[in-house]
Structure formats: C-alpha cells, structure tokens
Amino acid sequence: MQNNGARAQRAGKKILTENFYGIVLACIPLVGTVLFMFLPLVFSMVLSVSSMKGFNPENIEFLGVANLFDNYKYILKDELFWKSVGNTFYAALSLPISMVLALIVSVLMNADIKGKTLFRTIFFLPYVCSVVALTSMWRLVLDTNYGLLNELLGTRINWLSNEKTYMPVMILMGAWTSLGFNVILFSAALTGVPKTYYEAATIDGAGWFKRFWSITLPLISPTVFYLLVTGLIGAIQDFTRFQAIGFGTTGPNNAGLTMVYYLYQQGFTNNYTYGMGYAAATSWIVTFLIMVLTVVNFKVSKRWVYYD
Amino acid sequence: MINEAIIRKGKRIAQKTFIYAVLVFVAFTILIPFYVIIITSLKESHALATHIPFIWFPKFGELSFRAYGNLFTSYPVIETGKSMVLTGIGNTFLIVIPTTVVGMISSSVSAYAFAKLRFWGKNFFFSALLFTMMMPGIVMLIPSYIIFDYLGLTDTYFPLMVPAMFGSAQCVFFLRQFFSGIPDEVLDAAKLDGVGYLGIYWRIMLPLSLPAIFAQAILGFVAGYNDYLAPLIYIVSEKKYTLQIALQFFSGGNLKDLPTVMAGAVMAIIPTTLIYVFAQRYFVEGIAITGLKA
C-alpha cells in the first residue's frame, strides 16, 4: 500500500513536471503574441473609434457613443480610399496571370524532362530578392531611354509616369515575381497525382486536354484554392513595392496608391491632417475585407474543390 | 507499322522540343532583368549616366568596377563618416543573426512541447497559435508604432528584434509536423535513462531535426535580411540604417547614376541568392510543406 502511494505520488509529480515544461515551452511564442499582437490589436480597436493627431497616445480622445463610427464613415466617404480599393484589386490581376502561367509551366515540368531543378531554381529566384533590389531592377527595366521593355517593343514610353501604363507594368512585375512560388506549390501538387490515372484515361482515348480537365485539375484543386486565398490576402496587403519604386510617392495621379499605402500615408505621412484614428479604422476595414474574402472563398470552395 | 512507330517517336520529340522551348523562354524572361542590372552595374559610372545606350553584350574592356567603388565610398553617414552601405551591412547582420537564432530556439522548444508533451490546455494553446497566423499583420502596423514610440523604442533595434525572438507561429507549425515524426520509443528510452524534458529536446529532438531547423532558420534569415517596412518605419538615424534602407536612401540620392544604383541592387541580392542556390532544397521543402499544410 505504502509502495503504491509512493508510486502514485511519483507519477503525480511526473505529470506536474510534464505540465510545467509543456506549458512554459509551448507558450513562449504565445507570450510574444500577447505582448506584440494582442495589446496592439486592442489599442487599435480603441484608436479606430477615437481621434488622435500625431504619435502621442496621451492626446487620444474617445469620439463618444453618438459619433462612434465617425472615422469609418469619413473613410468610406473619402474618394481617395475608394480609388485605393480600385487600385488594389486592379493590381491583384497579377495573381490570376501568375497562377495560370505557373500552372502551364508546372504541367510542362511534370513531363519526363531533364533539368527540372535548374528550371525551378531560376523561376524562384525573384522570390528571394528584397523589394528594394526588385524595384531598382524594375525601375531600370521600365526606364524610358535605357529600359529593356522599351528596347523590346521599340518604344520610348515612360511607363511609371503615365497613369494608364503605371498599373499594367506593376501587374507584370508582380506576376514575374510570384511565378516561382506558385510553380513550387503546383509542382508539389502535380507529383501527387498518380501516373496510373493518366494511363487509364489514355487507354480510354482521352486527349491531353480532357486528361488535364478531368484528372489533373480536380486533383490539384486544393492547391489552386490555397494559392487563390493566400494570394488574394497577400494582394490586399500589397504595398511595399509601390512605396519603394517611387521612393515614397504614390505614382501618377495616385495610380499606385493601394489600400495599405493609403493607410500608411494616413499614419506616417499625413498623420496631422488625417490622424491616427483614421489610420486605425482603415486597417480594420482592410482586415474585415480580408476576413470576408477568406470566408467567401471557403464557402465557394466547398462546391468545386476536390478533397479525397 | 514501322511508319506508325516513327510518327509516334517524331511526335514525342516534337512534344519535348516544345516543352523545353517554353521552359527556356520563361527562364530567360526571369533571368534577363538580373543580367541587365549586372551589366549596368559594370558600366563606367558617371554622375549623369541615365542616357547610356542599352547594350546587350558590352566588350570586356568596357566593363569597370567603379560603380562598386562608388557604392562603398560616396554617401558616408554624416555622424560617423563611414560608408553608409557598409554600415548597413553590419547593422543588418547585427540585427538578423541574433534574432534568427533566438527565434529558432523559441519556435523549436514550443514545437517540441506541442509535438511530444502532454499538458493542460494544449489544444487551446495550439488553436490560439493558429489563429495568430490568420491575423493580417497590417492591423498591428499603426498601434505597434505608437506603443513603441511612446516607450521611447523607435530608432532602436528593439521593434526589429524582440518581437521576432519569441518565434513565429508558422515555424512552430512546421517544426511540430517534423517533431511528430520522431518515434516516441526513442524518447521513452531516454526517459528511462533519466534524461529530463529539456535534455530530450537538446540531445534528441534537436540533433534529429537539424535539417528542418536549418531550413526554417534560412527562411528566417532571408526574410530578416530583406525586411524593408519595419526598418523604414522604426529607424531614423542614418548610422542605424539596415542595408535595405541604406540602399533605398542611396538609390534615391543617386538616381542619375544608374551603374551605382544597380551595383547597390546587386549587393542587395548577392547574399540571399547565394544562400538560396546552395540551400535551395531547404527552401523548396519548407515552402511546399508549410504552403500546403497551413
């Protein structure tokens, strides 16, 4: 009996130690989350229903219950905000372009060819480069006199100074940069499609398009969906390359002002005219948009994504 | 019959030629901008070089490293008189290396606990961690800045280092998958030998998962090296600029001198590209796994 009690005690102590280590070790990242994410998040909520000019939080003033959503109302009436929404979704066109190209490239790479690793390495190269390097590079590619694009087209267009040409070239740059990432994920998904499926379909007389449409696409649809969701979430937050390529300007007639750029300007460039309350409210609108898109995506995906 | 075989073979060759043609074309489309910045950086550097003609293959004698010299000598930091780009390189390593190392330790001990230990609230804590992965970072931009500014921590490396030292949810998620694959029998044997929980992490989990940890550390290093927005917002003094901020500042001031600006871009790319080319397997695995399972 005594022996049993001692054993139980020892077992109890062991469970306690395991609990102690488990909680302490597991929660290190969560402590960071609480300090650097949860607190700012709560502050941001308060800020979005307050008025505050400049950076000093001692100047914060609650808008009052009657005017609780004034910041939100102001932004939703601001033409510049809606322009930034339009620009953001226009810029997001690089996502479908990049995905379609990446799918074509990945399907071709899935054939029995040599040099796959080399191709993959090259395609992914832009992804490891900093935004500063990439924008320097593209400023040169798009240069009026010296640029590669004008050289190839035989034109002398100042792409980044014209409101009409600004976004198309930024879309091109976006697709060029993100191609490799999509290729890696599509390639991983394609290697998971059993070769026997194709063989069976070929025996049944299915052409390559039929095989692609009824075998490949359904089987890789989870990846298509994943890339669409994460790509869209990324596209809504697209901002640094626009800031860097124009050294803090927003492009001709604000053609490069994306939603996050708009919020950045409110917070850091024009914080005395706009105020931090507006900036915080804008960031919640952007967040809300991201969440809605994510939920809609998940709902819609149930109809066409094939999970086995 | 013979004809048919020849036709089929011819078809296959045509098919492969087409595949290679497309892939080579795309590869060139990706590579040519890199080539263009490299040859431009090797041109004679002049203060007003915006109108130098575009040349695909300059003669060897026409190449010069003057732009690189310019990059390291012109634009010194006012307070110290030292080259801004060199200062930036030093600062970047000073920030990124300790942050990556400490961040990896935090992430990996957490992943170890989630993978191998039993404790109260495990599922709750894990869900909380997953939730933070879904929160867009942009909401935190303004309030974090105000808080750091209020605490007097802007223009210090605190906001660039300390939050990342707690580890990242993505990294925990990735390593937990990896740790779960290590058989429990190995751990039980160690427990019987009287090895404690930290000992198991240090002597078994860590050595067995070095490739996975290395992969995540590389991704973390590259992300830190390339980071632009955080140092742009938080760092004010020139002597504290990171490489990316120094280069951006430098490009803005030297727009007329294309070779020097491009030398800067090449400088920004070289370390990450080298790391990537040598460790590309880790990149691809890291992305394919976190990408698909997140």
Side-chain angles (χ1 to χ4, degrees):
Chain A
M1 273 309 268
Q2 225 174 13
N3 201 356
N4 267 352
R7 201 180 294 158
Q9 212 172 18
R10 222 175 320 146
K13 202 181 154 203
K14 212 183 134 230
I15 289 169
L16 262 173
T17 359
E18 186 162 353
N19 266 307
F20 171 76
Y21 278 107
I23 291 173
V24 169
L25 297 182
C27 288
I28 294 171
L30 281 168
V31 172
T33 305
V34 169
L35 286 177
F36 302 110
M37 199 169 171
F38 188 68
L39 288 182
L41 219 58
V42 172
F43 183 45
S44 174
M45 275 184 196
V46 175
L47 199 55
S48 77
V49 290
S50 305
S51 151
M52 179 180 147
K53 300 265 159 106
F55 293 123
N56 190 348
E58 280 160 21
N59 298 338
I60 193 166
E61 269 171 54
F62 183 56
L63 287 174
V65 180
N67 308 318
L68 196 61
F69 294 110
D70 274 12
N71 287 337
Y72 291 93
K73 280 184 204 154
Y74 175 88
I75 291 155
L76 294 174
K77 273 187 207 146
D78 189 358
E79 266 175 47
L80 206 55
F81 171 73
W82 289 106
K83 175 151 197 172
S84 78
V85 175
N87 286 339
T88 307
F89 283 99
Y90 190 10
L93 274 181
S94 66
L95 177 66
I97 294 172
S98 167
M99 279 179 66
V100 169
L101 282 176
L103 189 55
I104 294 171
V105 166
S106 310
V107 168
L108 294 180
M109 271 168 71
N110 200 35
D112 181 27
I113 55 152
K114 291 195 178 80
K116 279 183 197 183
T117 316
L118 179 67
F119 281 122
R120 204 176 49 193
T121 308
I122 293 172
F123 297 153
F124 194 67
L125 212 50
Y127 214 82
V128 298
C129 299
S130 72
V131 67
V132 172
L134 289 176
T135 48
S136 286
M137 182 188 279
W138 277 78
R139 235 182 277 120
L140 182 68
V141 168
L142 301 171
D143 193 272
T144 319
N145 300 302
Y146 187 81
L148 188 68
L149 194 59
N150 280 322
E151 190 73 16
L152 290 174
L153 299 174
T155 50
R156 282 282 173 272
I157 297 170
N158 195 343
W159 302 98
L160 292 172
S161 310
N162 186 323
E163 199 185 338
K164 292 231 159 56
T165 56
Y166 181 93
M167 201 48 104
V169 292
M170 291 306 279
I171 291 171
L172 185 69
M173 177 197 176
W176 180 88
T177 312
S178 62
L179 181 80
F181 179 80
N182 293 336
V183 167
I184 286 185
L185 286 188
F186 276 138
S187 295
L190 286 171
T191 48
V193 180
K195 287 259 192 294
T196 47
Y197 287 21
Y198 294 118
E199 283 155 18
T202 314
I203 289 166
D204 288 347
W208 72 266
F209 185 77
K210 176 87 183 155
R211 290 199 299 266
F212 174 79
W213 190 255
S214 356
I215 301 172
T216 314
L217 212 52
L219 284 176
I220 65 164
S221 57
T223 303
V224 175
F225 170 65
Y226 173 79
L227 289 178
L228 209 59
V229 175
T230 50
L232 207 54
I233 291 173
I236 289 174
Q237 299 182 69
D238 202 0
F239 147 64
T240 44
R241 62 193 184 105
F242 294 95
Q243 201 273 352
I245 206 161
F247 298 99
T249 60
T250 52
N253 194 17
N254 292 319
L257 187 78
T258 62
M259 276 191 276
V260 174
Y261 204 163
Y262 171 82
L263 115 77
Y264 172 86
Q265 292 238 316
Q266 286 177 328
F268 295 106
T269 319
N270 307 325
N271 59 62
Y272 275 90
T273 44
Y274 276 112
M276 290 299 197
Y278 292 138
T282 311
S283 60
W284 281 105
I285 294 174
V286 174
T287 307
F288 178 72
L289 203 59
I290 289 173
M291 286 177 167
V292 167
L293 280 170
T294 313
V295 170
V296 167
N297 258 317
F298 270 102
K299 289 257 190 274
V300 173
S301 81
K302 283 199 182 129
R303 280 196 214 139
W304 60 270
V305 175
Y306 170 90
Y307 295 105
D308 54 3
Chain B
M1 277 311 269
I2 295 167
N3 266 352
E4 215 172 86
I6 291 173
I7 289 169
R8 211 178 301 146
K9 201 179 172 193
K11 221 174 156 186
R12 211 175 301 140
I13 291 172
Q15 219 171 30
K16 281 222 170 152
T17 315
F18 171 76
I19 291 176
Y20 281 118
V22 174
L23 292 181
V24 168
F25 174 77
V26 178
F28 269 103
T29 315
I30 299 287
L31 285 178
I32 284 171
F34 285 92
Y35 174 74
V36 172
I37 64 167
I38 293 169
I39 53 164
T40 308
S41 76
L42 292 171
K43 290 223 162 104
E44 260 307 295
S45 176
H46 297 292
L48 275 165
T50 15
H51 293 279
I52 39 178
F54 184 84
I55 299 165
W56 278 103
F57 303 104
K59 291 194 194 84
F60 193 71
E62 290 168 8
L63 299 179
S64 120
F65 282 96
R66 235 168 76 180
Y68 288 88
N70 257 354
L71 187 68
F72 291 114
T73 51
S74 64
Y75 258 105
V77 176
I78 298 163
E79 296 129 299
T80 60
K82 285 182 196 143
S83 149
M84 184 183 277
V85 171
L86 285 178
T87 309
I89 293 174
N91 290 341
T92 296
F93 284 106
L94 191 75
I95 295 167
V96 176
I97 292 173
T99 308
T100 311
V101 172
V102 178
M104 279 314 296
I105 295 172
S106 303
S107 297
S108 61
V109 293
S110 171
Y112 159 61
F114 279 124
K116 292 295 180 196
L117 300 182
R118 274 165 298 172
F119 53 92
W120 295 307
K122 185 169 166 176
N123 287 335
F124 168 77
F125 290 132
F126 197 65
S127 316
L129 204 64
L130 285 184
F131 179 73
T132 64
M133 271 168 81
M134 292 168 199
M135 210 61 207
I138 222 68
V139 209
M140 265 76 71
L141 188 72
I142 301 288
S144 301
Y145 183 86
I146 297 172
I147 293 170
F148 284 129
D149 189 56
Y150 188 66
L151 299 173
L153 293 170
T154 46
D155 206 26
T156 73
Y157 294 147
F158 188 94
L160 307 184
M161 298 178 78
V162 178
M165 282 180 170
F166 284 91
S168 80
Q170 277 92 339
C171 191
V172 173
F173 192 75
F174 174 85
L175 290 175
R176 190 193 75 120
Q177 299 279 105
F178 197 91
F179 288 163
S180 302
I182 295 174
D184 284 333
E185 289 77 26
V186 182
L187 309 193
D188 291 339
K191 268 183 215 160
L192 284 179
D193 288 344
V195 182
Y197 292 108
L198 288 176
I200 289 174
Y201 162 77
W202 186 250
R203 285 197 237 161
I204 297 171
M205 303 306 275
L206 216 51
L208 282 179
S209 51
L210 272 183
I213 289 180
F214 188 59
Q216 287 296 308
I218 286 177
L219 289 178
F221 177 85
V222 170
Y225 181 91
N226 286 343
D227 192 15
Y228 172 68
L229 188 56
L232 177 76
I233 293 171
Y234 289 114
I235 303 303
V236 183
S237 331
E238 287 182 5
K239 63 175 179 195
K240 291 179 188 165
Y241 277 4
T242 63
L243 178 64
Q244 303 298 334
I245 299 303
L247 286 172
Q248 180 72 356
F249 183 81
F250 190 84
S251 313
N254 282 284
L255 270 184
K256 297 271 160 23
D257 182 2
L258 276 181
T260 308
V261 173
M262 290 311 132
V266 173
M267 278 297 309
I269 290 171
I270 285 175
T272 48
T273 322
L274 282 182
I275 292 175
Y276 164 61
V277 169
F278 285 111
Q280 75 121 349
R281 190 168 65 91
Y282 295 123
F283 271 83
V284 174
E285 278 169 14
I287 283 155
I289 292 172
T290 44
L292 280 173
K293 302 237 167 113

